[in-house]
Amino acid sequence: MANVVHNSEPDMTTTPTNATQAIETARRVLDLEAKGLQQLSTELNGSFTEALNILANVTGRVIISGMGKSGHIAKKIAATLASTGTPAYCVHPGEASHGDLGMITRNDAVLAMSNSGNTSELSDLITYTRRFGIPLIAMTSRQTSTLAEAADVALILPSLPEACPHGLAPTTSTTMSLALGDALAVALMEQKNFQPQDFKVFHPGGALGNQLLRVSDIMHSSELPLCAGSTSMTETILIMTQRSFGCIGVTNIDGQLTGIITDGDLRRHMDTDILSMTAESVMTPAPRTIRPSALAAEALGQMNESSITSLFVTEDEMPVGIIHIHDCLRAGIA
């Protein structure tokens, strides 16, 4: 008798994609998840404020934990909080039961995530927070669940169907969890008055870091192209040529910047006896300037708006640097 081979794997045979049906499916998923977000927004209440106050006043770190898909969302929320001024990290509930509970101190607060609120892997973590008086915030869709009843504050998600056609794969629920985590992070940013310069500390690399560079980070602060108003144009042009910025700043007797001479100014005076003139008589008064603490992106915007290639950097009208459009481009600001 021939051997019969039994294939226990599920039938995963796919059919050719129907473009219209695929788009309808995508729209259905997006509409269901959007409905979840809208209802979540409508149902926000005082529990959100209570949770926010706990997180804002914690002297240690915010510990976020969840199992399965909730665990993946927990990692993202922890990363968002940590990058926006609220120290946070994710602890896996299974690992917590095998020693990682030692990472959590009495100065911390815990945000535990579970759609059902009855995830067994969270039980040791819940017990630990209750034993040591560690604030516990629940994020779940069931008010009567073990997690919600044990927590100091429960953030209850609307009980809506998952976008999965079988109602099983976490989709709508994880989207709401992620959005609620973002809402907490942004509300904390505003409460702590977290500014772009603070953001730069945690995002020094990549395109975002480049956008947050300050003028002082990339400006030239030595051998500035400067001359007094009484300087002859012969010497003025010589200094311009040596400094290679295509311009020169003109200062008064107190060293304050009062004007600028550019290559364009030189061309406009070609029909005059320019070499017999002084810098003050050729300069364009009241030039555009920028402060050292301004974002470099702001400097680039000013140069583009005024169709110029350089800006003097001043403090109390005193020139402390110069920034060229090429400096911005080299730094990746565009």
PDB file of all heavy atoms in Angstrom, residues 116-155:
ATOM      1  N   SER A 116      -7.733  43.052  25.557  1.00  0.00           N
ATOM      2  CA  SER A 116      -8.715  42.327  26.366  1.00  0.00           C
ATOM      3  C   SER A 116      -8.652  42.729  27.828  1.00  0.00           C
ATOM      4  O   SER A 116      -9.635  42.614  28.564  1.00  0.00           O
ATOM      5  CB  SER A 116      -8.471  40.820  26.256  1.00  0.00           C
ATOM      6  OG  SER A 116      -7.263  40.458  26.907  1.00  0.00           O
ATOM      7  N   GLY A 117      -7.471  43.172  28.258  1.00  0.00           N
ATOM      8  CA  GLY A 117      -7.290  43.513  29.667  1.00  0.00           C
ATOM      9  C   GLY A 117      -7.084  42.307  30.554  1.00  0.00           C
ATOM     10  O   GLY A 117      -6.967  42.442  31.786  1.00  0.00           O
ATOM     11  N   ASN A 118      -7.035  41.122  29.953  1.00  0.00           N
ATOM     12  CA  ASN A 118      -6.877  39.894  30.726  1.00  0.00           C
ATOM     13  C   ASN A 118      -5.675  39.076  30.261  1.00  0.00           C
ATOM     14  O   ASN A 118      -5.657  37.851  30.439  1.00  0.00           O
ATOM     15  CB  ASN A 118      -8.153  39.046  30.631  1.00  0.00           C
ATOM     16  CG  ASN A 118      -9.336  39.722  31.298  1.00  0.00           C
ATOM     17  OD1 ASN A 118      -9.241  40.197  32.422  1.00  0.00           O
ATOM     18  ND2 ASN A 118     -10.463  39.779  30.590  1.00  0.00           N
ATOM     19  N   THR A 119      -4.691  39.747  29.672  1.00  0.00           N
ATOM     20  CA  THR A 119      -3.492  39.056  29.197  1.00  0.00           C
ATOM     21  C   THR A 119      -2.747  38.465  30.391  1.00  0.00           C
ATOM     22  O   THR A 119      -2.276  39.195  31.271  1.00  0.00           O
ATOM     23  CB  THR A 119      -2.578  40.027  28.433  1.00  0.00           C
ATOM     24  OG1 THR A 119      -3.322  40.597  27.344  1.00  0.00           O
ATOM     25  CG2 THR A 119      -1.353  39.319  27.903  1.00  0.00           C
ATOM     26  N   SER A 120      -2.610  37.143  30.420  1.00  0.00           N
ATOM     27  CA  SER A 120      -2.035  36.473  31.589  1.00  0.00           C
ATOM     28  C   SER A 120      -0.580  36.870  31.818  1.00  0.00           C
ATOM     29  O   SER A 120      -0.123  36.935  32.960  1.00  0.00           O
ATOM     30  CB  SER A 120      -2.132  34.958  31.419  1.00  0.00           C
ATOM     31  OG  SER A 120      -1.454  34.520  30.241  1.00  0.00           O
ATOM     32  N   GLU A 121       0.158  37.161  30.740  1.00  0.00           N
ATOM     33  CA  GLU A 121       1.574  37.503  30.881  1.00  0.00           C
ATOM     34  C   GLU A 121       1.789  38.801  31.653  1.00  0.00           C
ATOM     35  O   GLU A 121       2.888  39.067  32.132  1.00  0.00           O
ATOM     36  CB  GLU A 121       2.228  37.606  29.501  1.00  0.00           C
ATOM     37  CG  GLU A 121       2.417  36.287  28.776  1.00  0.00           C
ATOM     38  CD  GLU A 121       1.193  35.887  27.971  1.00  0.00           C
ATOM     39  OE1 GLU A 121       0.136  36.564  28.104  1.00  0.00           O
ATOM     40  OE2 GLU A 121       1.276  34.921  27.199  1.00  0.00           O
ATOM     41  N   LEU A 122       0.748  39.626  31.766  1.00  0.00           N
ATOM     42  CA  LEU A 122       0.886  40.894  32.483  1.00  0.00           C
ATOM     43  C   LEU A 122       0.652  40.749  33.987  1.00  0.00           C
ATOM     44  O   LEU A 122       0.863  41.696  34.746  1.00  0.00           O
ATOM     45  CB  LEU A 122      -0.109  41.924  31.933  1.00  0.00           C
ATOM     46  CG  LEU A 122       0.218  42.555  30.574  1.00  0.00           C
ATOM     47  CD1 LEU A 122      -0.962  43.384  30.084  1.00  0.00           C
ATOM     48  CD2 LEU A 122       1.465  43.423  30.661  1.00  0.00           C
ATOM     49  N   SER A 123       0.214  39.581  34.429  1.00  0.00           N
ATOM     50  CA  SER A 123      -0.201  39.433  35.831  1.00  0.00           C
ATOM     51  C   SER A 123       0.924  39.724  36.819  1.00  0.00           C
ATOM     52  O   SER A 123       0.703  40.399  37.839  1.00  0.00           O
ATOM     53  CB  SER A 123      -0.758  38.025  36.070  1.00  0.00           C
ATOM     54  OG  SER A 123       0.240  37.046  35.767  1.00  0.00           O
ATOM     55  N   ASP A 124       2.133  39.243  36.552  1.00  0.00           N
ATOM     56  CA  ASP A 124       3.237  39.491  37.476  1.00  0.00           C
ATOM     57  C   ASP A 124       3.594  40.976  37.522  1.00  0.00           C
ATOM     58  O   ASP A 124       3.933  41.514  38.583  1.00  0.00           O
ATOM     59  CB  ASP A 124       4.467  38.669  37.070  1.00  0.00           C
ATOM     60  CG  ASP A 124       4.283  37.187  37.332  1.00  0.00           C
ATOM     61  OD1 ASP A 124       3.461  36.844  38.203  1.00  0.00           O
ATOM     62  OD2 ASP A 124       4.954  36.374  36.668  1.00  0.00           O
ATOM     63  N   LEU A 125       3.523  41.612  36.369  1.00  0.00           N
ATOM     64  CA  LEU A 125       3.819  43.040  36.313  1.00  0.00           C
ATOM     65  C   LEU A 125       2.789  43.836  37.105  1.00  0.00           C
ATOM     66  O   LEU A 125       3.132  44.760  37.860  1.00  0.00           O
ATOM     67  CB  LEU A 125       3.846  43.507  34.852  1.00  0.00           C
ATOM     68  CG  LEU A 125       4.152  44.984  34.595  1.00  0.00           C
ATOM     69  CD1 LEU A 125       5.550  45.332  35.084  1.00  0.00           C
ATOM     70  CD2 LEU A 125       4.018  45.300  33.105  1.00  0.00           C
ATOM     71  N   ILE A 126       1.516  43.473  36.952  1.00  0.00           N
ATOM     72  CA  ILE A 126       0.452  44.157  37.692  1.00  0.00           C
ATOM     73  C   ILE A 126       0.652  43.968  39.192  1.00  0.00           C
ATOM     74  O   ILE A 126       0.579  44.933  39.973  1.00  0.00           O
ATOM     75  CB  ILE A 126      -0.925  43.606  37.257  1.00  0.00           C
ATOM     76  CG1 ILE A 126      -1.201  43.964  35.784  1.00  0.00           C
ATOM     77  CG2 ILE A 126      -2.030  44.164  38.155  1.00  0.00           C
ATOM     78  CD1 ILE A 126      -2.441  43.285  35.219  1.00  0.00           C
ATOM     79  N   THR A 127       0.922  42.741  39.589  1.00  0.00           N
ATOM     80  CA  THR A 127       1.134  42.452  41.012  1.00  0.00           C
ATOM     81  C   THR A 127       2.308  43.235  41.575  1.00  0.00           C
ATOM     82  O   THR A 127       2.247  43.772  42.697  1.00  0.00           O
ATOM     83  CB  THR A 127       1.376  40.947  41.212  1.00  0.00           C
ATOM     84  OG1 THR A 127       0.239  40.207  40.729  1.00  0.00           O
ATOM     85  CG2 THR A 127       1.599  40.616  42.681  1.00  0.00           C
ATOM     86  N   TYR A 128       3.366  43.340  40.795  1.00  0.00           N
ATOM     87  CA  TYR A 128       4.574  44.053  41.235  1.00  0.00           C
ATOM     88  C   TYR A 128       4.263  45.529  41.489  1.00  0.00           C
ATOM     89  O   TYR A 128       4.688  46.111  42.493  1.00  0.00           O
ATOM     90  CB  TYR A 128       5.648  43.908  40.169  1.00  0.00           C
ATOM     91  CG  TYR A 128       6.993  44.490  40.532  1.00  0.00           C
ATOM     92  CD1 TYR A 128       7.881  43.797  41.343  1.00  0.00           C
ATOM     93  CD2 TYR A 128       7.382  45.740  40.046  1.00  0.00           C
ATOM     94  CE1 TYR A 128       9.125  44.329  41.669  1.00  0.00           C
ATOM     95  CE2 TYR A 128       8.612  46.283  40.367  1.00  0.00           C
ATOM     96  CZ  TYR A 128       9.481  45.565  41.175  1.00  0.00           C
ATOM     97  OH  TYR A 128      10.710  46.099  41.490  1.00  0.00           O
ATOM     98  N   THR A 129       3.505  46.157  40.585  1.00  0.00           N
ATOM     99  CA  THR A 129       3.184  47.583  40.764  1.00  0.00           C
ATOM    100  C   THR A 129       2.296  47.785  41.985  1.00  0.00           C
ATOM    101  O   THR A 129       2.440  48.773  42.712  1.00  0.00           O
ATOM    102  CB  THR A 129       2.476  48.162  39.524  1.00  0.00           C
ATOM    103  OG1 THR A 129       1.215  47.505  39.329  1.00  0.00           O
ATOM    104  CG2 THR A 129       3.333  48.005  38.278  1.00  0.00           C
ATOM    105  N   ARG A 130       1.397  46.856  42.244  1.00  0.00           N
ATOM    106  CA  ARG A 130       0.509  47.001  43.405  1.00  0.00           C
ATOM    107  C   ARG A 130       1.285  46.791  44.709  1.00  0.00           C
ATOM    108  O   ARG A 130       1.027  47.461  45.713  1.00  0.00           O
ATOM    109  CB  ARG A 130      -0.643  45.996  43.327  1.00  0.00           C
ATOM    110  CG  ARG A 130      -1.507  46.072  42.053  1.00  0.00           C
ATOM    111  CD  ARG A 130      -2.118  47.431  41.822  1.00  0.00           C
ATOM    112  NE  ARG A 130      -1.156  48.385  41.247  1.00  0.00           N
ATOM    113  CZ  ARG A 130      -1.348  49.672  41.131  1.00  0.00           C
ATOM    114  NH1 ARG A 130      -2.462  50.213  41.556  1.00  0.00           N
ATOM    115  NH2 ARG A 130      -0.436  50.466  40.582  1.00  0.00           N
ATOM    116  N   ARG A 131       2.236  45.871  44.685  1.00  0.00           N
ATOM    117  CA  ARG A 131       3.001  45.571  45.890  1.00  0.00           C
ATOM    118  C   ARG A 131       3.867  46.744  46.323  1.00  0.00           C
ATOM    119  O   ARG A 131       3.992  47.044  47.511  1.00  0.00           O
ATOM    120  CB  ARG A 131       3.866  44.332  45.643  1.00  0.00           C
ATOM    121  CG  ARG A 131       4.766  43.970  46.821  1.00  0.00           C
ATOM    122  CD  ARG A 131       5.643  42.783  46.482  1.00  0.00           C
ATOM    123  NE  ARG A 131       6.562  42.483  47.566  1.00  0.00           N
ATOM    124  CZ  ARG A 131       7.531  41.579  47.504  1.00  0.00           C
ATOM    125  NH1 ARG A 131       7.687  40.854  46.387  1.00  0.00           N
ATOM    126  NH2 ARG A 131       8.336  41.370  48.535  1.00  0.00           N
ATOM    127  N   PHE A 132       4.465  47.447  45.323  1.00  0.00           N
ATOM    128  CA  PHE A 132       5.416  48.507  45.641  1.00  0.00           C
ATOM    129  C   PHE A 132       4.870  49.913  45.410  1.00  0.00           C
ATOM    130  O   PHE A 132       5.616  50.887  45.437  1.00  0.00           O
ATOM    131  CB  PHE A 132       6.709  48.301  44.848  1.00  0.00           C
ATOM    132  CG  PHE A 132       7.459  47.067  45.257  1.00  0.00           C
ATOM    133  CD1 PHE A 132       7.424  45.929  44.470  1.00  0.00           C
ATOM    134  CD2 PHE A 132       8.171  47.032  46.451  1.00  0.00           C
ATOM    135  CE1 PHE A 132       8.105  44.780  44.855  1.00  0.00           C
ATOM    136  CE2 PHE A 132       8.856  45.886  46.842  1.00  0.00           C
ATOM    137  CZ  PHE A 132       8.823  44.749  46.048  1.00  0.00           C
ATOM    138  N   GLY A 133       3.573  50.015  45.212  1.00  0.00           N
ATOM    139  CA  GLY A 133       2.955  51.333  45.086  1.00  0.00           C
ATOM    140  C   GLY A 133       3.410  52.109  43.864  1.00  0.00           C
ATOM    141  O   GLY A 133       3.510  53.344  43.913  1.00  0.00           O
ATOM    142  N   ILE A 134       3.669  51.414  42.771  1.00  0.00           N
ATOM    143  CA  ILE A 134       4.108  52.055  41.535  1.00  0.00           C
ATOM    144  C   ILE A 134       2.864  52.418  40.715  1.00  0.00           C
ATOM    145  O   ILE A 134       2.013  51.552  40.467  1.00  0.00           O
ATOM    146  CB  ILE A 134       5.024  51.120  40.730  1.00  0.00           C
ATOM    147  CG1 ILE A 134       6.281  50.803  41.545  1.00  0.00           C
ATOM    148  CG2 ILE A 134       5.397  51.731  39.386  1.00  0.00           C
ATOM    149  CD1 ILE A 134       7.126  49.682  40.965  1.00  0.00           C
ATOM    150  N   PRO A 135       2.696  53.672  40.301  1.00  0.00           N
ATOM    151  CA  PRO A 135       1.505  54.059  39.545  1.00  0.00           C
ATOM    152  C   PRO A 135       1.325  53.188  38.297  1.00  0.00           C
ATOM    153  O   PRO A 135       2.276  52.936  37.558  1.00  0.00           O
ATOM    154  CB  PRO A 135       1.784  55.513  39.157  1.00  0.00           C
ATOM    155  CG  PRO A 135       2.747  55.991  40.194  1.00  0.00           C
ATOM    156  CD  PRO A 135       3.603  54.811  40.531  1.00  0.00           C
ATOM    157  N   LEU A 136       0.099  52.726  38.092  1.00  0.00           N
ATOM    158  CA  LEU A 136      -0.218  51.852  36.964  1.00  0.00           C
ATOM    159  C   LEU A 136      -1.345  52.453  36.138  1.00  0.00           C
ATOM    160  O   LEU A 136      -2.430  52.744  36.653  1.00  0.00           O
ATOM    161  CB  LEU A 136      -0.634  50.462  37.457  1.00  0.00           C
ATOM    162  CG  LEU A 136      -1.118  49.477  36.389  1.00  0.00           C
ATOM    163  CD1 LEU A 136      -0.001  49.159  35.402  1.00  0.00           C
ATOM    164  CD2 LEU A 136      -1.645  48.193  37.034  1.00  0.00           C
ATOM    165  N   ILE A 137      -1.057  52.663  34.856  1.00  0.00           N
ATOM    166  CA  ILE A 137      -2.056  53.147  33.902  1.00  0.00           C
ATOM    167  C   ILE A 137      -2.385  51.993  32.965  1.00  0.00           C
ATOM    168  O   ILE A 137      -1.480  51.346  32.428  1.00  0.00           O
ATOM    169  CB  ILE A 137      -1.522  54.343  33.096  1.00  0.00           C
ATOM    170  CG1 ILE A 137      -1.139  55.493  34.036  1.00  0.00           C
ATOM    171  CG2 ILE A 137      -2.550  54.810  32.072  1.00  0.00           C
ATOM    172  CD1 ILE A 137      -0.349  56.600  33.344  1.00  0.00           C
ATOM    173  N   ALA A 138      -3.649  51.730  32.793  1.00  0.00           N
ATOM    174  CA  ALA A 138      -4.089  50.673  31.889  1.00  0.00           C
ATOM    175  C   ALA A 138      -4.567  51.272  30.579  1.00  0.00           C
ATOM    176  O   ALA A 138      -5.181  52.338  30.568  1.00  0.00           O
ATOM    177  CB  ALA A 138      -5.210  49.858  32.526  1.00  0.00           C
ATOM    178  N   MET A 139      -4.272  50.587  29.477  1.00  0.00           N
ATOM    179  CA  MET A 139      -4.853  50.945  28.186  1.00  0.00           C
ATOM    180  C   MET A 139      -5.487  49.674  27.630  1.00  0.00           C
ATOM    181  O   MET A 139      -4.804  48.738  27.238  1.00  0.00           O
ATOM    182  CB  MET A 139      -3.792  51.486  27.222  1.00  0.00           C
ATOM    183  CG  MET A 139      -4.392  52.069  25.935  1.00  0.00           C
ATOM    184  SD  MET A 139      -3.150  52.664  24.739  1.00  0.00           S
ATOM    185  CE  MET A 139      -2.460  54.052  25.620  1.00  0.00           C
ATOM    186  N   THR A 140      -6.810  49.638  27.643  1.00  0.00           N
ATOM    187  CA  THR A 140      -7.546  48.436  27.291  1.00  0.00           C
ATOM    188  C   THR A 140      -8.926  48.813  26.769  1.00  0.00           C
ATOM    189  O   THR A 140      -9.375  49.950  26.948  1.00  0.00           O
ATOM    190  CB  THR A 140      -7.683  47.506  28.512  1.00  0.00           C
ATOM    191  OG1 THR A 140      -8.461  46.367  28.166  1.00  0.00           O
ATOM    192  CG2 THR A 140      -8.343  48.229  29.682  1.00  0.00           C
ATOM    193  N   SER A 141      -9.599  47.860  26.165  1.00  0.00           N
ATOM    194  CA  SER A 141     -10.949  48.135  25.661  1.00  0.00           C
ATOM    195  C   SER A 141     -12.037  47.613  26.611  1.00  0.00           C
ATOM    196  O   SER A 141     -13.220  47.762  26.319  1.00  0.00           O
ATOM    197  CB  SER A 141     -11.135  47.508  24.274  1.00  0.00           C
ATOM    198  OG  SER A 141     -11.030  46.091  24.362  1.00  0.00           O
ATOM    199  N   ARG A 142     -11.616  47.009  27.739  1.00  0.00           N
ATOM    200  CA  ARG A 142     -12.609  46.434  28.655  1.00  0.00           C
ATOM    201  C   ARG A 142     -12.495  47.050  30.050  1.00  0.00           C
ATOM    202  O   ARG A 142     -11.512  46.846  30.749  1.00  0.00           O
ATOM    203  CB  ARG A 142     -12.441  44.915  28.732  1.00  0.00           C
ATOM    204  CG  ARG A 142     -12.724  44.224  27.397  1.00  0.00           C
ATOM    205  CD  ARG A 142     -12.701  42.721  27.518  1.00  0.00           C
ATOM    206  NE  ARG A 142     -12.907  42.090  26.222  1.00  0.00           N
ATOM    207  CZ  ARG A 142     -12.893  40.769  26.021  1.00  0.00           C
ATOM    208  NH1 ARG A 142     -12.672  39.957  27.051  1.00  0.00           N
ATOM    209  NH2 ARG A 142     -13.082  40.273  24.812  1.00  0.00           N
ATOM    210  N   GLN A 143     -13.544  47.769  30.429  1.00  0.00           N
ATOM    211  CA  GLN A 143     -13.578  48.450  31.724  1.00  0.00           C
ATOM    212  C   GLN A 143     -13.571  47.462  32.885  1.00  0.00           C
ATOM    213  O   GLN A 143     -13.025  47.742  33.969  1.00  0.00           O
ATOM    214  CB  GLN A 143     -14.830  49.329  31.798  1.00  0.00           C
ATOM    215  CG  GLN A 143     -14.961  50.122  33.089  1.00  0.00           C
ATOM    216  CD  GLN A 143     -13.985  51.286  33.153  1.00  0.00           C
ATOM    217  OE1 GLN A 143     -14.035  52.182  32.321  1.00  0.00           O
ATOM    218  NE2 GLN A 143     -13.095  51.272  34.137  1.00  0.00           N
ATOM    219  N   THR A 144     -14.169  46.285  32.677  1.00  0.00           N
ATOM    220  CA  THR A 144     -14.289  45.313  33.766  1.00  0.00           C
ATOM    221  C   THR A 144     -13.174  44.270  33.751  1.00  0.00           C
ATOM    222  O   THR A 144     -13.266  43.255  34.425  1.00  0.00           O
ATOM    223  CB  THR A 144     -15.651  44.591  33.671  1.00  0.00           C
ATOM    224  OG1 THR A 144     -15.756  43.955  32.386  1.00  0.00           O
ATOM    225  CG2 THR A 144     -16.794  45.576  33.847  1.00  0.00           C
ATOM    226  N   SER A 145     -12.130  44.493  32.994  1.00  0.00           N
ATOM    227  CA  SER A 145     -11.041  43.518  32.897  1.00  0.00           C
ATOM    228  C   SER A 145     -10.158  43.566  34.136  1.00  0.00           C
ATOM    229  O   SER A 145     -10.199  44.509  34.935  1.00  0.00           O
ATOM    230  CB  SER A 145     -10.198  43.804  31.656  1.00  0.00           C
ATOM    231  OG  SER A 145      -9.582  45.077  31.766  1.00  0.00           O
ATOM    232  N   THR A 146      -9.334  42.546  34.280  1.00  0.00           N
ATOM    233  CA  THR A 146      -8.388  42.476  35.398  1.00  0.00           C
ATOM    234  C   THR A 146      -7.462  43.679  35.404  1.00  0.00           C
ATOM    235  O   THR A 146      -7.203  44.284  36.456  1.00  0.00           O
ATOM    236  CB  THR A 146      -7.563  41.179  35.305  1.00  0.00           C
ATOM    237  OG1 THR A 146      -8.445  40.059  35.332  1.00  0.00           O
ATOM    238  CG2 THR A 146      -6.572  41.082  36.457  1.00  0.00           C
ATOM    239  N   LEU A 147      -6.944  44.031  34.241  1.00  0.00           N
ATOM    240  CA  LEU A 147      -5.997  45.146  34.139  1.00  0.00           C
ATOM    241  C   LEU A 147      -6.655  46.465  34.515  1.00  0.00           C
ATOM    242  O   LEU A 147      -6.105  47.246  35.310  1.00  0.00           O
ATOM    243  CB  LEU A 147      -5.428  45.220  32.719  1.00  0.00           C
ATOM    244  CG  LEU A 147      -4.497  46.401  32.415  1.00  0.00           C
ATOM    245  CD1 LEU A 147      -3.292  46.388  33.340  1.00  0.00           C
ATOM    246  CD2 LEU A 147      -4.060  46.370  30.943  1.00  0.00           C
ATOM    247  N   ALA A 148      -7.829  46.740  33.962  1.00  0.00           N
ATOM    248  CA  ALA A 148      -8.503  48.018  34.220  1.00  0.00           C
ATOM    249  C   ALA A 148      -8.868  48.165  35.692  1.00  0.00           C
ATOM    250  O   ALA A 148      -8.740  49.246  36.282  1.00  0.00           O
ATOM    251  CB  ALA A 148      -9.757  48.136  33.358  1.00  0.00           C
ATOM    252  N   GLU A 149      -9.330  47.078  36.312  1.00  0.00           N
ATOM    253  CA  GLU A 149      -9.753  47.149  37.704  1.00  0.00           C
ATOM    254  C   GLU A 149      -8.572  47.293  38.663  1.00  0.00           C
ATOM    255  O   GLU A 149      -8.702  47.860  39.747  1.00  0.00           O
ATOM    256  CB  GLU A 149     -10.586  45.913  38.054  1.00  0.00           C
ATOM    257  CG  GLU A 149     -11.937  45.901  37.333  1.00  0.00           C
ATOM    258  CD  GLU A 149     -12.761  44.677  37.668  1.00  0.00           C
ATOM    259  OE1 GLU A 149     -12.197  43.721  38.247  1.00  0.00           O
ATOM    260  OE2 GLU A 149     -13.970  44.668  37.349  1.00  0.00           O
ATOM    261  N   ALA A 150      -7.400  46.788  38.262  1.00  0.00           N
ATOM    262  CA  ALA A 150      -6.223  46.880  39.117  1.00  0.00           C
ATOM    263  C   ALA A 150      -5.520  48.223  38.997  1.00  0.00           C
ATOM    264  O   ALA A 150      -4.807  48.642  39.911  1.00  0.00           O
ATOM    265  CB  ALA A 150      -5.246  45.754  38.780  1.00  0.00           C
ATOM    266  N   ALA A 151      -5.716  48.920  37.878  1.00  0.00           N
ATOM    267  CA  ALA A 151      -4.952  50.133  37.581  1.00  0.00           C
ATOM    268  C   ALA A 151      -5.418  51.332  38.394  1.00  0.00           C
ATOM    269  O   ALA A 151      -6.563  51.396  38.851  1.00  0.00           O
ATOM    270  CB  ALA A 151      -5.059  50.451  36.096  1.00  0.00           C
ATOM    271  N   ASP A 152      -4.513  52.286  38.555  1.00  0.00           N
ATOM    272  CA  ASP A 152      -4.865  53.555  39.180  1.00  0.00           C
ATOM    273  C   ASP A 152      -5.734  54.377  38.242  1.00  0.00           C
ATOM    274  O   ASP A 152      -6.630  55.109  38.684  1.00  0.00           O
ATOM    275  CB  ASP A 152      -3.589  54.334  39.524  1.00  0.00           C
ATOM    276  CG  ASP A 152      -2.737  53.597  40.545  1.00  0.00           C
ATOM    277  OD1 ASP A 152      -3.181  53.452  41.691  1.00  0.00           O
ATOM    278  OD2 ASP A 152      -1.637  53.153  40.172  1.00  0.00           O
ATOM    279  N   VAL A 153      -5.424  54.289  36.958  1.00  0.00           N
ATOM    280  CA  VAL A 153      -6.197  54.985  35.926  1.00  0.00           C
ATOM    281  C   VAL A 153      -6.353  54.041  34.738  1.00  0.00           C
ATOM    282  O   VAL A 153      -5.386  53.380  34.333  1.00  0.00           O
ATOM    283  CB  VAL A 153      -5.487  56.275  35.449  1.00  0.00           C
ATOM    284  CG1 VAL A 153      -6.310  56.956  34.353  1.00  0.00           C
ATOM    285  CG2 VAL A 153      -5.260  57.231  36.604  1.00  0.00           C
ATOM    286  N   ALA A 154      -7.550  53.972  34.190  1.00  0.00           N
ATOM    287  CA  ALA A 154      -7.797  53.115  33.030  1.00  0.00           C
ATOM    288  C   ALA A 154      -8.205  53.974  31.829  1.00  0.00           C
ATOM    289  O   ALA A 154      -9.178  54.733  31.910  1.00  0.00           O
ATOM    290  CB  ALA A 154      -8.881  52.094  33.339  1.00  0.00           C
ATOM    291  N   LEU A 155      -7.431  53.870  30.758  1.00  0.00           N
ATOM    292  CA  LEU A 155      -7.773  54.515  29.492  1.00  0.00           C
ATOM    293  C   LEU A 155      -8.504  53.477  28.658  1.00  0.00           C
ATOM    294  O   LEU A 155      -7.898  52.507  28.183  1.00  0.00           O
ATOM    295  CB  LEU A 155      -6.514  55.004  28.785  1.00  0.00           C
ATOM    296  CG  LEU A 155      -5.668  56.026  29.553  1.00  0.00           C
ATOM    297  CD1 LEU A 155      -4.377  56.330  28.789  1.00  0.00           C
ATOM    298  CD2 LEU A 155      -6.458  57.310  29.789  1.00  0.00           C
TER     299      LEU A 155
END
